[in-house]
Amino acid sequence: MPLGPLRQVAVVGIGRTEVARVSRRSALDFSAEALRLALDDAGLHRDDVDGLFTNVGFPLAVDYDRMAEAFGLRLRAALQTWSHGRFVGPALQAAVQAVALGTAEVAACVGGVSFSGLGIVGGPGDVEGLRQGGGSHGEFPQYGMTAPGGGAAMAFAKYCARYRADPELIAAVPLAARRHARLNPDAQMITPLELEDYRAQPYIVEPLRRPDFALLSDGGGALLVTTVERARDLRHPAVIIGGMQGLHAGHDEFIFAPPGLGVFSQGDARHPVTPADNPVYGMAGLSGPSDVDVLTLYDAFSPNVVFVLERFGFTGEGEALDWIQGGRIELGGELPINTAGGLLAEAHLCGWGHMVEAVRQIRGEAGERQVERCEVVQWATPFGDSVIFEKDR
């Protein structure tokens, strides 16, 4: 029976595998372990799962039908999005909608990836550059831009020129990520990073340096969602899905920047953020971004943090780069961001690591990086999609 409000659906199990830069394990192996860990965490059995949702498929990972066959699942609902990390939010949203509508009772969101097996992301050898006349991450190889970082760097350079900002201020993002990762025993990149270390790193695409780029990882993550009613009978406190808003698209949208800054945006103007632009807060019963305790976001590149803060109204236009200085986005600061280290320092699990960390923070299970009295965690991307995780109250 349809449940209606989003607040009737909850995350009940999480699983995250070990991660490595290079592993001999397959993406299917990682997916299987992540799902098993999530089932154990929730106290559920494989036979309870009747929905499967993933944002990652072959060749980076495993297609949903192969997973269902290999894991012995009997599914009533399944969805696989466009094989990349920015679709992690929509994959979770689809699972929540399936449970709310009654087309699945327990929906598994699973992603196991093998970047080392893929070889290269972007570049002239990336066959996905042929998809829809362009690449999977905003690349347009017909114009000579064949790597994801190109668009991110160009958008950030445009931002700095427009607002007369010092591009080296972006160092606050990888420094925060690395400090958080050093409190995470499962993080991939824990080498200390201070400002002088950052400045000594080479540019990859100016003005972005090596620490501004996401890691490549092998590993897996999973979440299980079901009704709040059922969740309250399982092993851990329910983590409520309070609000959602979808991935944006259009002639002014670009994967790594808000409207008006994207490389291929047809318009050049930015518009003031209004509550109508971000209904996720009202849907979750929040007054706005000031109610968020922890922000998790898709940090494939450091400027994503700046762009998310401005797109969702945490700061005004052109203000976020200054706002993130002085430890404001670190643990103990005003708004801790990506407390496990994110894609820049924890691991690149195509976004599932962010989701697992959001649940851990709400449950109070984040160890040394736990944010006190954490009750609201937001997931977001520069592309405009978002999910609000809330403590069951």
Side-chain angles (χ1 to χ4, degrees), residues 62-108:
V62 187
D63 293 329
Y64 78 95
D65 50 353
R66 177 68 181 119
M67 274 196 278
E69 175 191 16
F71 301 164
L73 302 178
R74 295 178 177 85
L75 302 179
R76 295 193 296 129
L79 177 72
Q80 178 175 316
T81 58
W82 188 20
S83 299
H84 293 284
R86 71 180 184 272
F87 292 97
V88 64
L92 176 60
Q93 291 176 17
V96 170
Q97 290 165 350
V99 171
L101 291 171
T103 58
E105 293 292 329
V106 177

Side-chain angles (χ1 to χ4, degrees), residues 17-74:
T17 72
E18 63 177 7
V19 295
R21 175 64 184 87
V22 178
S23 173
R24 294 184 179 181
R25 297 176 62 184
S26 68
L28 182 63
D29 188 10
F30 283 121
S31 298
E33 182 185 359
L35 178 57
R36 177 183 59 78
L37 291 170
L39 289 168
D40 290 346
D41 183 60
L44 293 171
H45 187 271
R46 174 193 64 185
D47 293 341
D48 292 311
V49 175
D50 59 356
L52 180 63
F53 297 79
T54 184
N55 64 324
V56 191
F58 184 82
L60 175 59
V62 187
D63 293 329
Y64 78 95
D65 50 353
R66 177 68 181 119
M67 274 196 278
E69 175 191 16
F71 301 164
L73 302 178
R74 295 178 177 85

